[in-house]
Amino acid sequence: MSKELKIAIAGLGTVGTGLIKLINDNADLLKARSGADIRITAVCARDKNKDRGVDLSGYEWFDDASEMAVKADADVFVELIGGTQGIALEATRAALAAGRDVVTANKAMLAFHGTALARLAEDNGCTIGFEAAVAGGIPIVKAMREGLAGNRIERVYGILNGTCNYILSTMEETGRSFEDVLAEAQAEGYAEADPAFDIGGIDAAHKLSLLASLAFGTEVDFGAVSVEGIERIEAGDIAYAREFGYRIKLVGAAQQTTHGIEQRVHPCLVPQSSVIGSVGGVFNAVIVEGDAVGQANFVGRGAGDGPTASAVAADIIDLAKGLRQPVFSVPANSLKPSNPSPMSDHEGAYYLRLQVLDQPGVMAGITVILGEAEVSIDSIIQRSRAPGEPVPIVILTHETREGVMMDAVAQLGKHPAMQEPPRLIRIENF
Ligand code: NAP
Ligand code: HSE
């Protein structure tokens, strides 16, 4: 007799309905690959009467996700509601406490409660699959937990938010406005319930905190991530970056430094020809650098119903096969503290845009301030000529310590010809 794995799905939005379609469309394949009949037995959402484009008539309906987590006739609780706390967290805790495995796409919840939930899972002999929580359809969690398990990871970085990548690359390609492209990303189902999480870098930071834990064997520590979003990126910055051979991407990076572990999410100039410089649209890219493997690159769709359902299904198939492992690669109690490295110790190059009055001596004053701070200039542009009027000056620096750069920027901000606060964007020559 063939085995059966019964699943209960909480949340029937973009990802939940995508998962139901995938399980129905690929049922034979899932059975052949897992050795089990994967059967949806129960579902839950807010509105029972909403038309979701999928047939729910064969499943038991629950209004309350926490009740479903413990009472449904199911082996696995699939959490696709979202949110850092509230019902998603409550129901996940209830399922784990009842000894049920959980599969979730909820990076926000794991970024804050990942370590505690991993402990709860282990205490109750079950696990949490979260492939869909990081980089959508890219199987990066599995790659880091299994395929790259023999490596000491030195750095993991990439494009972790499909909405931002879609916005930045579409703005560059079409010259359309930020607001217009964001509305399109929302309509496609890429954006979070609150899109401020996407454009503010918070969603990417949630994901980065999970990658950092997998990479360095540390507790998940969202608070250790330095976060900056793309809200202040202007079309002019994108155009200047292109002139210098760069593109602007929202980058997430976690790396071991001599000061500790640096975790950061911010807009960044990256070479157009680099792996992440050439990844556009809703695609994500994750690059892992390990001592044995060198650099391993992963590219794929980072959001949307199909890619995310693909990742959720992979976790469900693992459970159907009986594959269970510690949530963050090592037992939760052996995860180390995150040991954050301050951003003032970050070493890097910078893009600096200054809006100044076009007056004699201004350029000299700027270079004196940078020189006295020991910030070395790599390239500089001041093309327009508008005597007495504001003009942009764009400077690329050589590598310097961020604390030094911030002091120099504070001095520049006080220059009498400065018309608006200096704009600083990090550069990574990946
Ligand atoms: P969504 O389209 O907004 O769907 C959320 C679902 O949760 C809806 O069906 C909603 O019910 C249900 N829900 C909300 N509050 C509930 C409650 N109190 N009790 C029961 N159900 C409730 O969200 P989504 O885009 O599918 O995202 C789901 C999760 O996947 C989130 O954690 C998100 O971060 C993550 N994720 C999304 C993507 C993506 O591309 N969309 C990619 C990766 C990860 P109603 O439909 O009745 O309102
Ligand atoms: N809002 C997220 C994004 C969904 O745009 O990448 C995938 O996590």
Side-chain angles (χ1 to χ4, degrees):
M1 210 176 78
S2 100
K3 279 195 302 178
E4 191 176 60
L5 186 87
K6 292 182 273 192
I7 67 171
I9 304 174
L12 299 172
T14 303
V15 186
T17 53
L19 179 65
I20 293 175
K21 284 183 201 137
L22 186 153
I23 290 175
N24 290 337
D25 292 349
N26 295 350
D28 291 352
L29 207 67
L30 265 55
K31 182 171 181 178
R33 290 182 179 162
S34 68
D37 268 318
I38 293 175
R39 198 157 69 76
I40 302 166
T41 53
V43 292
C44 167
R46 272 180 303 211
D47 180 356
K48 189 175 180 181
N49 299 315
K50 197 190 262 186
D51 178 6
R52 302 172 190 275
V54 287
D55 180 9
L56 302 175
S57 59
Y59 317 137
E60 186 179 4
W61 177 271
F62 284 82
D63 287 315
D64 182 341
S66 293
E67 189 188 344
M68 184 174 83
V70 293
K71 291 201 179 148
D73 176 22
D75 307 295
V76 180
F77 176 70
V78 183
E79 186 280 304
L80 302 173
I81 296 173
T84 308
Q85 43 210 9
I87 188 66
L89 178 62
E90 205 180 282
T92 298
R93 282 183 177 143
L96 295 173
R100 291 183 175 189
D101 294 309
V102 169
V103 173
T104 180
N106 189 342
K107 54 268 171 168
M109 175 178 76
L110 293 178
F112 284 90
H113 307 285
T115 309
L117 289 172
R119 285 200 188 102
L120 182 60
E122 287 169 22
D123 289 348
N124 289 282
C126 48
T127 193
I128 305 170
F130 65 100
E131 187 64 74
V134 186
I138 301 175
I140 189 63
V141 175
K142 201 169 182 65
M144 292 186 70
R145 271 199 310 214
E146 297 173 32
L148 299 170
N151 286 262
R152 187 174 300 280
I153 304 296
E154 288 147 1
R155 180 163 72 158
V156 55
Y157 65 92
I159 296 171
L160 301 176
N161 185 271
T163 302
C164 285
N165 206 36
Y166 188 76
I167 292 172
L168 291 172
S169 47
T170 309
M171 279 173 73
E172 184 183 343
E173 282 158 22
T174 65
R176 284 167 56 200
S177 75
F178 185 95
E179 293 72 21
D180 187 26
V181 186
L182 171 61
E184 196 171 274
Q186 287 177 286
E188 293 290 338
Y190 304 150
E192 295 304 301
D194 179 356
F197 273 43
D198 294 292
I199 59 180
I202 296 160
D203 175 74
H206 289 151
K207 294 167 185 166
L208 186 78
S209 69
L210 303 178
L211 286 177
S213 174
L214 289 170
F216 304 114
T218 48
E219 291 171 356
V220 184
D221 187 0
F222 176 74
V225 188
S226 160
V227 191
E228 192 188 321
I230 63 168
E231 308 93 324
R232 292 176 58 215
I233 298 297
E234 295 179 11
D237 294 317
I238 294 174
Y240 281 120
R242 188 160 47 187
E243 281 194 49
F244 286 113
Y246 290 96
R247 286 208 166 90
I248 299 183
K249 297 286 183 188
L250 183 75
V251 165
Q255 68 194 90
Q256 184 74 60
T257 74
T258 48
H259 306 281
I261 295 171
E262 192 175 280
Q263 297 187 52
R264 54 192 164 90
V265 169
H266 52 83
C268 189
L269 271 69
V270 300
Q272 286 168 359
S273 56
S274 62
V275 175
I276 66 172
S278 48
V279 170
V282 72
F283 280 76
N284 281 192
V286 185
I287 288 101
V288 186
E289 293 171 354
D291 58 352
V293 74
Q295 182 173 306
N297 304 336
F298 303 83
V299 176
R301 283 195 165 76
D305 54 353
T308 315
S310 160
V312 175
D315 282 337
I316 293 171
I317 291 171
D318 269 0
L319 292 172
K321 287 175 173 170
L323 296 176
R324 273 179 190 74
Q325 46 189 324
V327 181
F328 296 105
S329 274
V330 298
N333 282 332
S334 64
L335 290 167
K336 297 170 289 183
S338 65
N339 188 23
S341 172
M343 282 308 288
S344 53
D345 282 331
H346 172 73
E347 295 275 348
Y350 296 86
Y351 162 103
L352 188 58
R353 177 167 53 78
L354 309 171
Q355 193 72 11
V356 293
L357 291 180
D358 188 0
Q359 285 173 345
V362 170
M363 184 70 90
I366 289 168
T367 54
V368 165
I369 290 173
L370 290 173
E372 283 178 352
E374 301 204 354
V375 174
S376 170
I377 295 173
D378 176 15
S379 315
I380 192 159
I381 296 181
Q382 189 213 313
R383 196 163 293 124
S384 44
R385 171 97 180 95
E389 297 293 317
V391 286
I393 293 179
V394 179
I395 295 171
L396 303 194
T397 74
H398 288 297
E399 291 216 342
T400 186
R401 205 171 65 80
E402 185 145 323
V404 168
M405 193 67 215
M406 297 311 282
D407 288 346
V409 167
Q411 290 305 316
L412 288 169
K414 291 182 201 155
H415 191 286
M418 204 62 58
Q419 296 301 290
E420 55 185 57
R423 182 74 185 104
L424 191 70
I425 308 177
R426 297 184 186 94
I427 302 175
E428 285 280 2
N429 286 300
F430 291 128

